[in-house]
Amino acid sequence: MIRCLTISLIVGATLSGCHTSQKTYAAACAVPLSNWGTEKDGVGHLLPLAPFFLGSDGTVIYDKMPTSNNKLRSYMIELSGTNPVPQVVLEVSPAALCERVKEVRSIMNTAPMCKGPHSRCSEGWNAKEWPTSGGP
């Protein structure tokens, strides 16, 4: 009886140790990539905004439409080639899973517009309310 109880406890402890709760944006990964701007950096003077939203279910929304990873990649390349290049802002649901947040950031960050010291990629909320940077 004691032996069965001991085995049950060991197996139970082992199995419970394998289960980890999935981390959410608000709890574990709200810091954007180092080359991305935030509200404190503001929005470039006269730059158009291109907001993307990552929902709690992992769906990316752009221009009011659900967007696949391939389409997201395509949009980022397309936006990088426009004149002027817009300021892309990723808004993330606090309940979005970190694994998905990292995946979306990675896809977006491959675009030329996100590279270098003058990256046009940002992350945060209500970009229309952010202060204007540069210009008169």
Side-chain angles (χ1 to χ4, degrees), residues 44-62:
H45 182 67
L46 299 178
L47 286 180
L49 286 174
F52 287 81
F53 176 73
L54 176 57
S56 59
D57 65 353
T59 301
V60 175
I61 305 291
Y62 177 65

Side-chain angles (χ1 to χ4, degrees), residues 58-78:
T59 301
V60 175
I61 305 291
Y62 177 65
D63 201 21
K64 300 179 184 174
M65 297 294 296
T67 303
S68 69
N69 286 355
N70 287 337
K71 193 65 179 166
L72 174 60
R73 227 176 253 101
S74 174
Y75 283 142
M76 293 300 293
I77 298 299
E78 184 180 321

Side-chain angles (χ1 to χ4, degrees), residues 37-119:
T38 62
E39 180 179 358
K40 70 175 178 55
D41 301 306
V43 174
H45 182 67
L46 299 178
L47 286 180
L49 286 174
F52 287 81
F53 176 73
L54 176 57
S56 59
D57 65 353
T59 301
V60 175
I61 305 291
Y62 177 65
D63 201 21
K64 300 179 184 174
M65 297 294 296
T67 303
S68 69
N69 286 355
N70 287 337
K71 193 65 179 166
L72 174 60
R73 227 176 253 101
S74 174
Y75 283 142
M76 293 300 293
I77 298 299
E78 184 180 321
L79 290 170
S80 290
T82 61
N83 186 13
V85 175
Q87 180 140 358
V88 169
V89 179
L90 177 62
E91 297 183 351
V92 183
S93 166
L97 297 179
C98 286
E99 182 177 312
R100 180 66 175 142
V101 173
K102 291 174 187 174
E103 179 180 30
V104 169
R105 284 176 179 154
S106 178
I107 291 168
M108 294 176 80
N109 200 48
T110 61
M113 67 191 308
C114 296
K115 303 295 182 197
H118 303 290
S119 171

